[in-house]
Amino acid sequence: MTTTSLPHRTLGRTGPEVSALGLGCMGMSALYGEADRGEAIATVHAALAAGVTLLDTGDFYGMGHNELLINEALRTAPAADRDRALVSVKFGALRDVHGAFLGYDGRPAAVKNFAAYSLQRLGTDHIDVYRIARLDPDVPVEETVGAIAELVESGHVRHIGLSEVGAESLRRAAAVAPISDLQIEYSLISRSIEAEILPTARELGIGITAYGVLSRGLISGHFSRDRELGTGDFRAMSPRFQGDNLDRNLDLVDKLREIADAKGVSVAQTAIAWVLAQGEDIVPLIGARRRDRLAEALGALAVTLDAGDLAAIEKAVPAGAAAGERYPSAQMAHLDSER
């Protein structure tokens, strides 16, 4: 398979240059029901061949399963594709044997412990971007970031990222060490970062890697009102997928579909293109688990939204229009970005 090239963007002032779309790999291992390992690895290979260079994972995705999957995918990819790949890892989430989340650990010793295990599972000597998944409320962000900075000094980490933190924490972290990017949910129906977090990131020269750009499939154009979610699918507990909330949110998707149809593109491509259009400092992460979904998402790079399109989208799906929170209340409490 011939490797192609995609547009590139840089993660902040100090981060690496990456493809304008990254591949979020979580769903290949956990939280969205059963996944086909062979198809998942084929999807990673297809992404690399298409020019995607940024792979995003977490050490707690499938309790290390996802890092091992990425290890296999990279080992079996053509050498040129493997050499271009950058891996972003989230750490810090504590889980029990049943998969329940027990909190977060951002102590310096824990940071170095998590990194050692990730390096072993990934089969590499360095992690390209390393970030705690959620701030540990019992550990100052300065201590956690300082520990990652020591890993940068030792060569085991290349760049420091953050995840789901608010503006104040961004400032405190950036005072300790250069921060390449903030990973945070950002989509047509999740726009709370626009008020304070995004302007602060831009002031500090910190890029945004946006996850949830299709709101876990809710605004992909492929989710139906009668779809049944299986055991182990996070969305079965997500407020936006429940009852009247789901109906109201899919009504928004129907309005977005009218705009997409008029342009001759898919709903998913329109939603991804909207995030891309919000700034060159934003890199959307697409959570494709299959090659057909990957191909559709990559098609968003060819979609141009002019001022009229953006105005029509804003009218169809205005900020704050979504029904329901993006996580159950217990998980919302862990989000420094929502305080």
Side-chain angles (χ1 to χ4, degrees), residues 187-189 212-224 227 235 241 246 249-250 252-254 256-257 260-261 265-272 286-288 290 292-293 296-297:
S187 74
L188 266 170
I189 63 172
V213 294
L214 296 179
S215 300
R216 301 164 184 85
L218 182 58
I219 60 172
S220 68
H222 301 299
F223 202 92
S224 62
R227 179 171 174 178
R235 293 169 294 188
F241 288 83
L246 178 61
N249 291 330
L250 290 181
L252 297 175
V253 176
D254 289 340
L256 187 61
R257 192 186 308 277
D261 287 347
V265 299
S266 74
V267 175
Q269 289 168 342
T270 304
I272 296 168
I286 52 176
R290 302 184 342 223
D292 58 338
R293 294 288 192 250
E296 179 186 22

Side-chain angles (χ1 to χ4, degrees), residues 259-339:
I259 298 169
D261 287 347
K263 289 187 68 65
V265 299
S266 74
V267 175
Q269 289 168 342
T270 304
I272 296 168
W274 181 88
V275 178
L276 284 164
Q278 302 313 301
E280 290 289 324
D281 53 349
I282 299 172
V283 175
L285 299 172
I286 52 176
R289 300 193 294 173
R290 302 184 342 223
R291 283 168 286 180
D292 58 338
R293 294 288 192 250
L294 170 69
E296 179 186 22
L298 291 175
L301 291 166
V303 176
T304 300
L305 300 177
D306 61 24
D309 295 326
L310 292 170
I313 292 170
E314 182 70 28
K315 182 177 179 180
V317 189
E325 298 283 3
R326 54 194 180 102
Y327 286 104
S329 58
Q331 294 185 38
M332 288 293 290
H334 291 295
L335 298 178
D336 181 72
S337 56
E338 295 287 345
R339 293 174 188 161

Side-chain angles (χ1 to χ4, degrees), residues 98-114:
H98 304 292
F101 285 89
L102 305 176
Y104 298 89
D105 193 343
R107 295 171 301 148
V111 173
K112 295 172 183 179
N113 177 77
F114 287 129

Side-chain angles (χ1 to χ4, degrees), residues 13-24:
R13 293 192 193 121
T14 63
E17 184 179 273
V18 299
S19 51
L21 287 179
L23 182 64

Side-chain angles (χ1 to χ4, degrees), residues 66-101:
N66 203 238
E67 290 181 320
L68 291 170
L69 184 148
I70 289 174
N71 179 334
E72 181 178 349
L74 291 176
R75 278 192 293 106
T76 55
D81 291 349
R82 181 171 62 248
D83 292 344
R84 280 189 291 270
L86 302 177
V87 180
S88 166
V89 178
K90 290 179 291 298
F91 69 90
L94 304 176
R95 304 183 71 178
D96 68 15
V97 295
H98 304 292
F101 285 89

Side-chain angles (χ1 to χ4, degrees), residues 6-310:
L6 296 179
H8 281 66
R9 293 182 171 186
T10 301
L11 297 184
R13 293 192 193 121
T14 63
E17 184 179 273
V18 299
S19 51
L21 287 179
L23 182 64
C25 299
M26 179 184 76
M28 296 177 179
S29 297
L31 298 179
Y32 293 138
E34 292 294 324
D36 182 321
R37 184 182 183 87
E39 179 62 22
I41 290 173
T43 300
V44 175
H45 287 169
L48 296 172
V52 172
T53 64
L54 178 63
L55 304 178
D56 182 77
T57 185
D59 63 9
F60 52 95
Y61 292 169
M63 321 309 220
H65 178 281
N66 203 238
E67 290 181 320
L68 291 170
L69 184 148
I70 289 174
N71 179 334
E72 181 178 349
L74 291 176
R75 278 192 293 106
T76 55
D81 291 349
R82 181 171 62 248
D83 292 344
R84 280 189 291 270
L86 302 177
V87 180
S88 166
V89 178
K90 290 179 291 298
F91 69 90
L94 304 176
R95 304 183 71 178
D96 68 15
V97 295
H98 304 292
F101 285 89
L102 305 176
Y104 298 89
D105 193 343
R107 295 171 301 148
V111 173
K112 295 172 183 179
N113 177 77
F114 287 129
Y117 279 79
S118 284
L119 289 168
Q120 177 69 25
R121 285 188 292 261
L122 289 166
T124 183
D125 62 359
H126 72 275
I127 297 167
D128 295 290
V129 187
Y130 202 47
R131 69 187 88 240
I132 190 165
R134 302 287 187 269
L135 288 190
D136 180 344
D138 298 322
V139 178
V141 66
E142 291 87 348
E143 293 185 17
T144 302
V145 169
I148 305 175
E150 291 180 11
L151 291 170
V152 172
E153 291 174 6
S154 67
H156 295 108
V157 168
R158 296 283 170 82
H159 303 280
I160 304 171
L162 290 168
S163 176
E164 287 288 356
V165 304
E168 179 185 353
S169 296
L170 268 182
R171 292 187 185 282
R172 289 169 55 192
V176 175
I179 307 298
S180 66
D181 66 305
L182 168 64
Q183 189 173 119
I184 194 164
E185 186 166 351
Y186 188 37
S187 74
L188 266 170
I189 63 172
S190 296
R191 296 174 59 180
S192 61
I193 74 167
E194 293 175 346
E196 186 178 10
I197 294 173
L198 183 55
T200 301
R202 285 174 167 162
E203 175 193 335
L204 297 171
I206 296 172
I208 298 290
T209 41
Y211 75 89
V213 294
L214 296 179
S215 300
R216 301 164 184 85
L218 182 58
I219 60 172
S220 68
H222 301 299
F223 202 92
S224 62
R225 286 174 168 80
D226 59 356
R227 179 171 174 178
E228 294 187 7
L229 297 170
T231 303
D233 194 318
F234 161 81
R235 293 169 294 188
M237 299 179 294
S238 174
R240 289 183 175 173
F241 288 83
Q242 308 303 313
D244 290 343
N245 286 351
L246 178 61
D247 286 335
R248 288 169 57 190
N249 291 330
L250 290 181
D251 285 343
L252 297 175
V253 176
D254 289 340
K255 294 178 181 178
L256 187 61
R257 192 186 308 277
E258 294 177 9
I259 298 169
D261 287 347
K263 289 187 68 65
V265 299
S266 74
V267 175
Q269 289 168 342
T270 304
I272 296 168
W274 181 88
V275 178
L276 284 164
Q278 302 313 301
E280 290 289 324
D281 53 349
I282 299 172
V283 175
L285 299 172
I286 52 176
R289 300 193 294 173
R290 302 184 342 223
R291 283 168 286 180
D292 58 338
R293 294 288 192 250
L294 170 69
E296 179 186 22
L298 291 175
L301 291 166
V303 176
T304 300
L305 300 177
D306 61 24
D309 295 326
L310 292 170

